[in-house]
Amino acid sequence: MLQFDVVTLFPKMFDAITESGITGRARERRAYQFLPWNPRDFAANAHRTVDDRPYGGGPGMVMMAEPLEKAVCAARQRQISAGVVKPRMVYLSPQGKPLTHEIVMSLSAEKGIVLLAGRYEGVDERLIARQFVQDGEEISIGDFVLSGGELAAMVLMDAVIRQLPGVLGDAESAAQDSFVSGLLDCPHYTRPEVYEGMAVPPVLMSGNHADIARWRLKQSLGRTAARRPDLFEKRLAAHGLSEAERKLLDEYKREATSEA
C-alpha cells in the first residue's frame, strides 16, 4: 500500500481527493494511505507561528524552516516506521521540474511519498536545502503560481493513485490515457448517435476493431502534432514515425484541410 504523508497548513483541503470519486474509493480499498501533518503542531510558541517577514524586505510572509522541518521529519519517520525504507521527498514548487507522465509512473512505483505543500511567498530556502536537495526533489504542475501547494499536491496524488493496481475499473483506461504513448488521446463519443446535428464518426459505429484502432491512432497523431508540437517533437525524437504512422498523419492533415 502506497503511503502519502503531506505537510500542509490546510489538511481539510485534502478531503476533496481522499473522500471523493475514484481516489476516495481507492483509499477505502486501501490502495493507499493518507496522513496529513500540520506544521502549526510543531511551532515553537503558543501562537503556533509558522511564518515571518522575509529578510531583505518585500511583500508577504515566508514559511519558517523549523516547524516545517519538524513536520517533514515526523512524516518521514512515520513512513520508515511503517516499513518504507526510503520515502520519496517532494516539495511542490513553481520552481520545480514539470510533472510528467514519466514522473507519475516513477512515483506510482514507490512505497512512500512525503509531500510538502508551501504557502505565502515561499519556504525558507534552508529547509529546502536540508530536506529536498540531496534526498528529494521539487516538482511543478505548470508555469503559474497558486495560493499554496495543496492543489498541486492533490494533482500529483490523483495522477499517481489512478496508476496503482486495481484503482481503475478497467486496467486499459490508464494504458490508453493521453501521454502514455507520448501522444494526446483521441476524441471520444457516446450516446446519442446524433447530437445537435453532429453525428458520431461512422468508423466508430462499424464494429471493425482494426479500422477503429487505425482511426484512433490517426487522431492521436494529428492532434498531438497540431495542438502540442513540443510533445510531438519529443515523441518523434524518442521513437520516430513508422511508415504507417506517417501515412496516417498525412491523411489527418488532408482531412483537416478539406474540412477547414
Side-chain angles (χ1 to χ4, degrees):
M1 179 170 56
L2 176 58
Q3 306 285 323
F4 277 111
D5 285 69
V6 182
V7 177
T8 171
L9 289 174
F10 300 99
K12 292 298 290 181
M13 288 184 68
F14 289 84
D15 289 353
I17 188 168
T18 60
E19 297 185 8
S20 304
I22 290 173
T23 51
R25 292 192 295 273
R27 187 185 185 195
E28 291 175 358
R29 296 199 298 267
R30 298 182 61 78
Y32 71 95
Q33 183 175 7
F34 168 79
L35 189 67
W37 299 83
N38 194 328
R40 292 195 187 280
D41 296 333
F42 299 86
N45 60 26
H47 299 290
R48 304 174 78 197
T49 304
V50 295
D51 62 299
D52 208 334
R53 295 184 300 276
Y55 281 117
M61 305 290 274
V62 175
M63 296 191 76
M64 301 164 67
E66 184 177 5
L68 282 180
E69 184 158 32
K70 287 181 177 179
V72 166
C73 288
R76 188 204 301 260
Q77 188 55 52
R78 204 280 309 173
Q79 291 205 0
I80 292 173
S81 297
V84 180
V85 176
K86 189 175 182 181
R88 185 93 166 254
M89 309 296 293
V90 177
Y91 169 44
L92 283 309
S93 162
Q95 301 180 51
K97 58 188 177 184
L99 182 64
T100 63
H101 178 70
E102 288 76 18
I103 293 175
V104 167
M105 295 306 297
S106 173
L107 290 168
S108 70
E110 297 286 349
K111 297 296 184 183
I113 304 169
V114 175
L115 301 174
L116 170 60
R119 278 270 157 178
Y120 311 123
E121 291 301 309
V123 170
D124 191 309
E125 190 69 20
R126 291 166 294 186
L127 178 277
I128 299 171
R130 286 171 57 85
Q131 296 293 335
F132 294 94
V133 172
Q134 301 239 343
D135 295 328
E137 58 201 310
E138 295 183 52
I139 291 179
S140 168
I141 63 166
D143 294 337
F144 50 87
V145 178
L146 298 168
S147 298
E150 284 80 11
L151 289 175
M154 284 188 271
V155 166
L156 182 148
M157 287 176 63
D158 185 281
V160 170
I161 291 167
R162 66 194 314 280
Q163 297 295 335
L164 299 178
V167 167
L168 297 182
D170 185 346
E172 287 298 307
S173 293
Q176 293 180 9
D177 282 342
S178 290
F179 308 112
V180 172
S181 64
L183 299 172
L184 298 180
D185 200 2
C186 63
H188 296 281
Y189 299 85
T190 188
R191 291 162 180 76
E193 184 178 338
V194 178
Y195 174 72
E196 296 293 330
M198 302 173 68
V200 174
V203 65
L204 299 179
M205 310 288 292
S206 69
N208 187 315
H209 297 298
D211 285 351
I212 292 171
R214 182 181 183 277
W215 181 87
R216 285 175 170 166
L217 177 57
K218 177 175 65 176
Q219 297 300 313
S220 290
L221 287 164
R223 283 191 164 200
T224 308
R227 301 183 182 188
R228 287 291 305 276
D230 59 321
L231 191 65
F232 187 77
E233 289 300 322
K234 181 180 177 182
R235 202 261 191 183
L236 202 61
H239 306 290
L241 284 180
S242 67
E243 185 59 29
E245 289 174 333
R246 196 173 301 279
K247 288 180 179 178
L248 287 175
L249 182 57
D250 289 342
E251 186 177 315
Y252 179 94
K253 291 177 179 178
R254 288 195 302 271
E255 292 172 355
T257 300
S258 66
E259 291 172 0

